[in-house]
Each structure stands twice: as C-alpha cells, then as structure tokens.
Amino acid sequence: MMTTPPGAVLVLGGARSGKSRFAEGLARQSGLDHHYLATGQAYDDEMRDRIARHKHERAGDGWTTHEEPVDLIGCLRSVDDPGRVILVDCLTLWVSNLMMAEADIDAASRALADYLPQAMGRIILVSNEVGLGIVPENAMARAFRDHAGRLHQMAAAKAAEVYFIAAGLPLKMKG
C-alpha cells in the first residue's frame, strides 16, 4: 500500500490521452476506499454506451459509483471521508451540465476550488484541457472553453498535485 499525501490532485489532458486511466491508478495505489463520482449524462446512444463501458470496466474492482451531473460539491460533501479517495470524472462534463442548467458557473467553480483544501479524503479531479486548440468559431464553444480554463486555474491553485497527460504519459506540473 502506498502512503497517500494530503490534498487534491488535478489530472488534465486531451481526449483519449489516458488521463482517466492514470487517475484510476492513483486512486487504486492510495490504499483508500475508492469512490467514483461521474458527472456524465446519457443524452444519446453514444454516451449511454460510453457510460455502460466505464461502469463495466470498474465493476468488481472495488469502486463505489456516484452519479451527479450538477451538484458536484453537494455530492462530494456527502461522500467525503478521511478513509476515501474520490475520483471525479470529469470536470468538463460538469461545466457542460452547468451551462445547460444555466447555472452560475464561476460561483460553482469557486465553491469547488474552495472545498478542495477542506476535503477530509483524497480527491482526484479529471478534466479535458480544451485551451490548446484553435479559438472556437461559436460563442457557446468559446464560453465553454473560457469556463473550463478558469475552473482549471482555480482547481490547480488549490490542488496539491497537478498532472498533464499526453499519449498516456504523465507530466507532473505541481507537487
């Protein structure tokens, strides 16, 4: 069993970069009771298949799954415990859900960042880095990119460790 350092972990990367696999490995190595907080919603068949595949991959592997698309902080508070590691996958889906709900995304992002140092257990946040490409052509996509970028900055400032994953390889950026 690995000794788990205190504090939250932020794992960023592009689509299919290996960030979820890396984060799951961190959770397993912690030696803590591992919980998976999924933010995705099944709006179409592709997403339903993706969610089912992820659930199947974690089945029998000691994961307790919680599904919460919008009230991430409320769910974290209800699950948080010193003997647990909570993997949140993923923050960019959460931002999308908040946008669809017309929620105050900046306030929700600040609340999440403010919660991280108070957490009793280990929290691992997974998110897609969306700011490395071209400027999106439509206002909604630009707003999404901007919200995600601000959230990542706030979370990284409060996280004990930050990793960037590319081609399945982690680059430790903080901690």
Side-chain angles (χ1 to χ4, degrees):
M1 178 180 3
M2 181 179 170
T3 303
T4 303
V9 178
L10 176 61
V11 179
L12 297 168
R16 302 290 161 263
S17 62
K19 63 192 172 296
S20 292
R21 182 178 306 116
F22 177 78
E24 289 173 10
L26 287 178
R28 284 187 194 96
Q29 291 172 358
S30 72
L32 301 172
D33 181 30
H34 35 283
H35 289 248
Y36 194 98
L37 201 163
T39 62
Q41 295 186 81
Y43 287 118
D44 57 31
D45 288 340
E46 187 270 335
M47 194 61 171
R48 273 187 281 285
D49 291 344
R50 184 180 297 233
I51 289 169
R53 186 177 67 250
H54 282 285
K55 284 181 178 178
H56 177 73
E57 289 170 357
R58 289 189 311 273
D61 201 13
W63 289 96
T64 301
T65 299
H66 310 270
E67 296 180 14
E68 179 48 60
V70 176
D71 188 13
L72 178 59
I73 293 98
C75 190
L76 280 171
R77 283 191 171 113
S78 71
V79 176
D80 192 13
D81 183 89
R84 291 181 177 161
V85 59
I86 305 164
L87 193 160
V88 177
D89 200 352
C90 84
L91 293 182
T92 44
L93 285 175
W94 180 57
V95 168
S96 295
N97 297 338
L98 291 172
M99 288 180 75
M100 298 302 284
E102 298 181 4
D104 185 340
I105 299 165
D106 290 332
S109 297
R110 279 190 305 276
L112 175 61
D114 289 344
Y115 182 76
L116 296 178
Q118 303 168 30
M120 295 179 287
R122 180 78 154 161
I123 297 176
I124 301 171
L125 305 166
V126 175
S127 199
N128 292 291
E129 177 51 65
V130 295
L132 296 174
I134 60 171
V135 175
E137 68 179 33
N138 68 72
M140 184 178 216
R142 286 190 302 274
F144 170 77
R145 179 210 51 201
D146 294 348
H147 286 305
R150 285 189 295 272
L151 170 60
H152 293 160
Q153 289 179 54
M154 286 184 246
K158 301 287 179 102
E161 298 175 39
V162 178
Y163 293 90
F164 185 80
I165 312 299
L169 301 173
L171 172 63
K172 192 169 192 177
M173 301 172 70
K174 178 180 177 183

